[in-house]
Structures are given as C-alpha cells and as structure tokens.
Amino acid sequence: MNKVIVVGSINMDVITRVARLPQTGETVSGYSAEYLPGGKGLNQAAACAKMGIETILAGCLGQDVFADRLYDFIKKLGIKTDYIRRCDKESGTAFINVAENGQNTIVVVPGSNAELSADKIAVLPIDRGDVVICQFEIPLNTVMETFAKAKKAGATTLLNPSPIRHIPSDLLAVTDILVVNETELGFLCGKKLSEQTSAEEIAAAANNIRPQESQTIIVTLGSRGALIAGQDVYFAEGHKVNAIDTVGAGDCFAGVVAARLLTCKDLRECVRTANLAASICVTRKGAAPAMPHHDELFS
Ligand code: RIB
C-alpha cells in the first residue's frame, strides 16, 4: 500500500471565541482561549492519518513548550515523525478569532516553519504511487524541490496553495492536482470570485488557468460543496450542517482527497468523501483535532 507524504507547516493555534470580530482599533472580550494543534501541513496529515492511511509529515518545530505538545499530538495520531526537525526558533503560531456567526480572522507567525529548507527534505522516502502534498506556509523553494523529487519518483503531487500567492509556472508544471477555494482561484486568475459566484463561472475560471489537460483543479465552494474542473465539470453538492468552526475545513478536504486517492481511482468519489469529511470537521472545535475518523465516513 502506498502512503501520503505531507511537507508543510505545524502550528499551535491560539483560538479565542468572541461574540463578534473586533473592528480596527477596538477591543472585545472573548469567552475562551484554547491552544490546539494546527497548521495546514499538520491538519492535512491528521486528516490522512485518521483515514487509516500511512502518513509521513515533514516539518520543522521549535524548541519551546508548544513544540513538545505538538510533537506528542502528532505521535498519538500515528503519523511518522522521522522527518520532523527541531530548530532554534519559536514554533509556528496562529492567532485565530472565531465569532459566533462562524466568521474568523487568522494571523500566522511562521516561526520554525520558515526554517524547513529544501535540504531538510532531501532524504524523504518517496515511492512510485505515493501522494505528496504541500501548501504555502513553508518556503516556496522547499515546495518546488519536494514536487520535483516527487515527480521524478512517480508520485502524485497535490498543491493546496494557501495562504495564496503567485504560483511559479515551473511549480504548476509539476503539480498534478491543485486544490483551491473560490477566493484563491480568483487571485490566481485575476478575477473577483466569491460565495456568490455561480459554479459555472468558477469552473470556467479554473479551466482557464489549467496548464495541461492531464492536470486537475478542484475548487472548494464552502457549504455549497466542491467542483472538479475539466472538460466535463463535476459538481459535488455540500452537506447541510450546523457549522461552529470552519478553521481547517479546507485542509480536511485536501487531506482526505489525498488519502482517498490511494484506495479509490475515481476522483469524483474522492471529492464526495472529502466533502463529507469537511462537513463533519466544521461541526467541531479546532483544526487538527476536528478531522473525522475513517469510520465516521464509511459507516
Ligand atoms: O488552514 C487552517 C490553519 O491555518 C490553522 O490551523 C492555522 O494554523 C493556519 O495555519
């Protein structure tokens, strides 16, 4: 059986719950403050591991108290930690405010994630048929090197370019599956796309930036669901749930698509499973701890 390798960020999420988000210059009282494991890399690895898939996470932690807590959490999930380094910096930290209406703001301080240089991933055991995932909370050069190595080994590469920035054409060229939300897609194609934009318009925008026929773009549409762009656009409808915390939902989706690809060759089925997983994730607090277990998806 193949495995998923996630090369990405590990953060401690400092999550405050507030009635409403503060305006600029305003102070509001929060109800609670929690310290929960997060970071796009760890969230995606947690989503894969909970699907029962062998998962390696390559990342960089600091030397602080957060690092020990994060490492223990990763170990307990059964994620392989051989490629998690320690460096002389504070661990990545995300400051997240979640309002009663589900809106949130996030400030991420990369800390040790910025130290995940390409030489630290040089020895990754990537095999033909593995799925390799990256996001943009680690240095861009590391993402490029990882994907170049993955393609050489015959692995499938999945890029979740978040937080969004320009994707260099040589990185796009070695990306098999791009997973973006509608706002990120809007940035990439220079258009304003939002929850109000029709699925047809979003599919057309995605097809416009798809460099090659063989490449796939999956666009997540929040509670509406997700679509696979291509000649035959496929739309998978979302599940109606009472969302209390959407932080990490996109990571859940990307991680479950990657995990499911190892056992199911039908991408539409993978997207349907990922949609269901994300709809469970948003009903729970936190990011990495909110990822659903395999049995919740296939009962
Ligand atoms: O995608 C959600 C994640 O973004 C959070 O866990 C936080 O750490 C930020 O990186």
Side-chain angles (χ1 to χ4, degrees), residues 9 11-13 37-40 43 94 96 106 108 137 247-248 251 287-288:
S9 57
N11 294 334
M12 182 58 84
D13 289 352
K40 296 179 195 304
N43 297 342
I96 304 175
I106 305 182
V108 184
E137 284 187 332
V247 177
D251 300 329

